Amino acid sequence: MPDLTDKEYDALDEYWTEHTPKVSGNGKSGFFAKQQGHVIFVDGLSADWLRIKAAANHTTPEVIIGELVRKEMATATA
């Protein structure tokens, strides 16, 4: 972010003072609410593999994870 002049800083401070971001707490807004709490942290190797596999299949890492889980579940119940 570029350095702000005193005038720009004052304007930005005034804007956010008058327009305080609202936190609803209703579960309908915000990153974690939109992701429904499904945030998973993986190591770098796993993340890279998921991104490469997803790109090769023209899909998303979430779809790849879902396929892996369903395959594992099917194997476990067989």
Side-chain angles (χ1 to χ4, degrees):
M1 184 173 166
D3 290 334
L4 299 175
T5 64
D6 287 341
K7 185 177 181 179
E8 291 170 327
Y9 176 81
D10 290 339
L12 192 60
D13 180 54
E14 183 176 334
Y15 175 82
W16 286 115
T17 299
E18 294 176 5
H19 300 92
T20 305
K22 303 289 187 267
V23 178
S24 65
N26 63 5
K28 296 180 182 177
S29 63
F31 174 79
F32 290 107
K34 291 176 185 172
Q35 296 297 319
Q36 301 171 0
H38 299 146
V39 176
I40 299 173
F41 296 97
V42 297
D43 60 275
L45 178 64
S46 299
D48 291 342
W49 184 86
L50 284 167
R51 280 193 286 275
I52 291 167
K53 185 81 168 171
N57 292 332
H58 305 290
T59 187
T60 64
E62 292 84 358
V63 171
I64 301 298
I65 292 170
E67 290 171 355
L68 291 169
V69 169
R70 286 177 192 80
K71 183 178 176 181
E72 182 69 23
M73 289 172 67
T75 303
T77 59

